[in-house]
Amino acid sequence: MKPLPSNPDPQAKSQAELLYEAQQRKVRQFRTNVAFSWIFLILFLGVLFSGDNLNLGFSLIRLDTEFISENIAFIGSGIGVTIYISLLSIALAIILALLAALGRLSTFPPFYALSTFYVSLIRGTPLYLQIFFFFLALPQLGIVLPGLWAGVLALGLNYGAYMSETFRAGLSSVGKGQREAAFALGMTQGQMMRRIVLPQALRFAIPPMGNDFIAMTKDSALVAATGFVHELMWRATRVGRSNLRNMEALIMAAFFYWIMTLILTAIQSRIESRLSRGDR
Amino acid sequence: MPDAPSSTPIVKVANLDKYFGRLHVLKSLDLEVAPREVVCIIGRSGSGKSTLLRCINFLEEPSAGIIEVDSVRVEGGEKGKRHRQLIHDVRLKTGMVFQEFNLFPHMSVLDNVIEGPVTVKGMDRLKAVELGEMNLDRVGMFFKKDEYPNRLSGGQKQRVAIARALTMEPKVMLFDEPTSALDPELIGEVLNVMKKLAQEGMTMLVVTHEMGFAREVADRVVVMAEGEIIEIANPTDLFAQPRDPRTQALIDRYRTGGG
C-alpha cells in the first residue's frame, strides 16, 4: 500500500470537511429564505386586514377593532376550557387505545373481536355524530350527560380508536428477542410487559400521540355544538353572531388555536429530542 | 473430563422430544452435564442445536421429556401453575446469552445488568448495583456502565449481555451462538470473556460454530445432526478421529473455511 500523502498544512481542511461546510451553508441559506417568506406572508395577512385605503381603486378588509378589544378577553378565556377538555379526552383515549391495542394483539378471540369491533365502529362514523349521540341521543334512554362529559367521552372514544393503531405498532415494534431476554431472566408475563415492552412501545408511540393531542385541541371545537361548553369556539360564535361580527370573532379564535398549536408543537419537539437520547 | 461425567450432573436432559407442528426437530435426546463442565454443541444449521439449548430454559416448551437443572426437575409438555413455577425456578438457575444480544435499548448498561436481580429477585438496588458493577468489571465493560446499548460495538454489547446473565448468579450459562452476529474482528473479545468464565469454573453449554474455541475450551463436544446427538467426545479425540462421517464433514468444512 502506498503511504498517504502527508498534509503540508495541518490547518487545511480535508475535501470532506469542505464539502460538508458547503452543504451546511446551503441548508442555512434555505432556512433563512423560508423564514423571510414566512415574515412576508404574515405581513401580507396583516396588511390585508388592516383596512388601509391604498388608493388602488379598492380598499382592504376593515376589521372592527373596537369589537376586538371588547371581546378578546371573553374569547381568550375559553383557552382554559379547550385545554381542559383536550387533556381529559386524551387521558381517556390513551387508556382505551392501550386496551384496544392489547386486544388486537390478543390470541383470545373475544378480546380480539371486541377490539376490532370498537375500532371499526368508531372509525366508521363521524366524530360530530358521536358527540351528538352522547349529548342528544343518550337522554332518550334516561342518561343525561352534561355537554362537557358528552364531549370528553366522544373525543376520548374517537381518538382512542385511532390511537390504538399507533399503540399496536408500538407494541409490535418491540422484538421477540426482547421478550425472550426478559423471560430468560425469569420475568413473569406482567414484569416483562411493565419493565421491557411497554416502556419501549410508549417511547415509540409518544411522537404520534403528541400529534394526536394537538389535533384534538382543534377537534374539541366540535364540542361547542352542544351549546353548553364555553370553550374557544363557543365563545367566538356567540359574540360573533350576536354582534354580526363573525369575521372578527372567528379570526380571534383562529389566532388563539394557531398560537396554541405553535406552542404545543414546540413542546412536542423538545420532548421528542429528549426521548431520542439513548436509542434509535 | 471423561465421556460420562463422574459427579452428579447439574444439567440432565432425558428423552427430550420437540416437534414444530409435524416437524420432529429433537428426537429423544439424552445429555448430562457435570458441574464446572464446558460443553460445546456443534452441528450444521437446522440440526436442532439451538432448539436443544432453548428447551433447557423453556424458551421452547419441550413436547416431551425431562429437563433437570440443579435438582429442579421439569417434565416437558405439561401445563398449569406448578409447571410455570418450575420453569421459573429453572430460569433462575440458568443464564442465557443470545446471538442477537437482546440488550434492553431503553436502559443504560448498568440498568440492563441490574434489571433481573431487582425486578425478578427483589434484590436491594444498592446491592444489585454492587453486584452488577462487579460483573461488568469481570467482562471488562465497567467503563461503559452509563452508556446506552446502541452506543456500543457488537462485541461490547455481547459482553454486557454476559454480565447481565451473570448478575442473576446462575448455576449454568447457556450460550446460543454468541459470536455469530459479530464482525470477525470482534469475536475474540467475547470468546476471551467466555474462556475466562470457563476457567473460573462456570458450567457452560455453548452452541457455536467456533471450532477453535470448542477445541481449546470445551471439556466435551456434542455433535448434532437432524435432531439427534450423533457423537459426544472430548475435543482432542473428536477433532483427531471423528467416528461419524457427518462429524468429519463438519470439521473439514470449518478447516477449509479457515475456522
Side-chain angles (χ1 to χ4, degrees):
Chain A
M1 220 167 91
K2 266 191 263 173
L4 289 168
S6 61
N7 202 336
D9 178 7
Q11 295 294 311
K13 287 175 174 137
S14 70
Q15 192 91 13
E17 279 173 319
L18 289 171
L19 214 68
Y20 176 76
E21 275 178 11
Q23 251 168 19
Q24 287 300 301
R25 260 200 308 281
K26 249 185 173 168
V27 168
R28 267 199 304 275
Q29 186 65 49
F30 180 78
R31 284 200 188 131
T32 320
N33 289 347
V34 169
F36 274 123
S37 307
W38 262 73
I39 291 167
F40 171 78
L41 288 168
I42 288 168
L43 284 177
F44 175 77
L45 257 186
V47 172
L48 188 66
F49 288 101
S50 66
D52 283 342
N53 198 334
L54 294 177
N55 293 325
L56 293 171
F58 61 91
S59 60
L60 294 164
I61 300 160
R62 183 180 296 277
L63 294 178
D64 184 342
T65 48
E66 196 183 327
F67 171 84
I68 290 178
S69 59
E70 269 171 19
N71 290 292
I72 191 155
F74 177 76
I75 295 179
S77 58
I79 293 177
V81 184
T82 291
I83 290 180
Y84 181 61
I85 296 172
S86 306
L87 283 176
L88 286 177
S89 309
I90 202 86
L92 177 62
I94 288 171
I95 294 166
L96 290 172
L98 190 56
L99 290 176
L102 288 173
R104 184 66 202 279
L105 295 170
S106 167
T107 49
F108 185 54
F111 282 168
Y112 184 91
L114 187 64
S115 161
T116 46
F117 183 78
Y118 157 61
V119 173
S120 169
L121 182 67
I122 295 294
R123 286 170 66 144
T125 50
L127 173 57
Y128 200 55
L129 184 150
Q130 289 159 14
I131 291 171
F132 272 107
F133 188 84
F134 283 103
F135 185 64
L136 294 178
L138 284 187
Q140 239 169 284
L141 306 174
I143 305 164
V144 181
L145 292 173
L148 182 99
W149 290 108
V152 167
L153 262 178
L155 279 170
L157 271 169
N158 187 278
Y159 273 71
Y162 285 95
M163 277 168 69
S164 70
E165 272 303 301
T166 311
F167 276 42
R168 190 183 65 82
L171 287 171
S172 330
S173 77
V174 183
K176 188 165 149 253
Q178 292 287 306
R179 289 160 219 258
E180 288 188 345
F183 284 144
L185 287 174
M187 286 195 193
T188 61
Q189 181 85 21
Q191 287 169 335
M192 180 268 287
M193 272 315 245
R194 211 173 57 248
R195 300 287 309 161
I196 307 304
V197 175
L198 281 182
Q200 293 184 61
L202 278 180
R203 183 172 299 206
F204 179 96
I206 276 176
M209 266 164 61
N211 290 339
D212 281 341
F213 181 68
I214 291 167
M216 185 180 270
T217 57
K218 285 158 289 171
D219 276 353
S220 71
L222 291 173
V223 180
T226 64
F228 287 92
V229 185
H230 302 177
E231 45 68 77
L232 262 176
M233 188 65 188
W234 180 87
R235 286 165 185 263
T237 47
R238 185 188 147 106
V239 295
R241 277 184 190 152
S242 58
N243 297 293
L244 288 175
R245 285 284 176 271
N246 281 312
M247 180 176 289
E248 286 82 354
L250 290 175
I251 285 175
M252 279 191 276
F255 175 77
F256 286 128
Y257 278 117
W258 196 6
I259 297 293
M260 243 163 49
T261 304
L262 289 177
I263 293 171
L264 289 173
T265 310
I267 294 173
Q268 190 202 11
S269 64
R270 290 192 81 167
I271 293 175
E272 265 181 54
S273 62
R274 271 188 63 181
L275 277 178
S276 64
R277 171 186 62 112
D279 77 339
R280 277 184 241 283
Chain B
M1 194 67 60
D3 269 12
S6 50
S7 49
T8 336
I10 193 164
V11 176
K12 219 159 129 184
V13 174
N15 294 318
L16 176 66
D17 270 298
K18 176 66 185 174
Y19 290 87
F20 285 124
R22 273 194 222 144
L23 210 62
H24 200 179
V25 288
L26 295 179
K27 296 168 188 164
S28 193
L29 294 190
D30 296 297
L31 180 66
E32 291 188 353
V33 180
R36 306 170 71 85
E37 199 183 10
V38 176
V39 172
C40 283
I41 306 171
I42 63 173
R44 306 180 62 153
S45 54
S47 61
K49 54 193 193 310
S50 279
T51 310
L52 166 61
L53 201 70
R54 290 161 59 83
C55 278
I56 292 174
N57 69 350
F58 287 81
L59 285 184
E60 302 289 355
E61 175 78 41
S63 306
I66 289 161
I67 303 285
E68 195 178 313
V69 180
D70 195 28
S71 310
V72 178
R73 187 185 153 93
V74 198
E75 298 217 16
E78 302 259 309
K79 284 205 159 59
K81 207 171 167 202
R82 204 185 104 78
H83 184 63
R84 281 203 301 275
Q85 182 59 47
L86 286 174
I87 289 177
H88 181 75
D89 293 346
V90 164
R91 285 176 177 166
L92 286 184
K93 289 180 183 293
T94 52
M96 182 135 190
V97 175
F98 299 87
Q99 180 176 344
E100 299 289 342
F101 331 125
N102 296 343
L103 292 179
F104 306 132
H106 58 303
M107 297 179 185
S108 71
V109 162
L110 182 63
D111 284 338
N112 261 279
V113 171
I114 66 169
E115 178 61 28
V118 171
T119 301
V120 177
K121 288 184 173 172
M123 189 185 280
D124 175 59
R125 208 188 140 83
L126 283 176
K127 206 176 153 223
V129 167
E130 198 180 315
L131 191 64
E133 289 183 342
M134 191 260 289
N135 281 316
L136 282 175
D137 195 40
R138 252 169 114 183
V139 301
M141 286 302 296
F142 180 79
F143 74 117
K144 292 277 190 190
K145 72 185 171 87
D146 296 319
E147 275 296 0
Y148 279 84
N150 73 324
R151 305 282 304 257
L152 306 179
S153 73
Q156 292 176 326
K157 281 182 193 165
Q158 197 58 300
R159 280 147 65 198
V160 172
I162 293 172
R164 175 174 69 178
L166 288 175
T167 308
M168 286 299 280
E169 301 181 294
K171 293 279 165 62
V172 179
M173 285 285 283
L174 309 173
F175 293 85
D176 189 4
E177 303 198 24
T179 57
S180 296
L182 296 176
D183 290 336
E185 73 270 21
L186 301 177
I187 290 174
E189 59 184 84
V190 173
L191 292 182
N192 282 336
V193 165
M194 290 168 62
K195 209 181 294 175
K196 197 173 128 207
L197 267 185
Q199 281 157 4
E200 288 168 12
M202 176 59 79
T203 309
M204 294 163 57
L205 267 101
V206 187
V207 169
T208 188
H209 294 290
E210 295 294 328
M211 296 296 159
F213 178 81
R215 185 193 290 251
E216 193 184 340
V217 184
D219 296 304
R220 285 186 301 155
V221 177
V222 171
V223 188
M224 287 189 66
E226 284 128 41
E228 287 174 303
I229 293 175
I230 55 171
E231 194 161 349
I232 304 182
N234 72 56
T236 323
D237 293 347
L238 187 96
F239 287 106
Q241 39 194 258
R243 280 191 296 244
D244 195 292
R246 286 171 292 180
T247 309
Q248 182 70 62
L250 196 67
I251 293 168
D252 288 346
R253 213 152 64 92
Y254 284 105
R255 206 163 269 154
T256 53

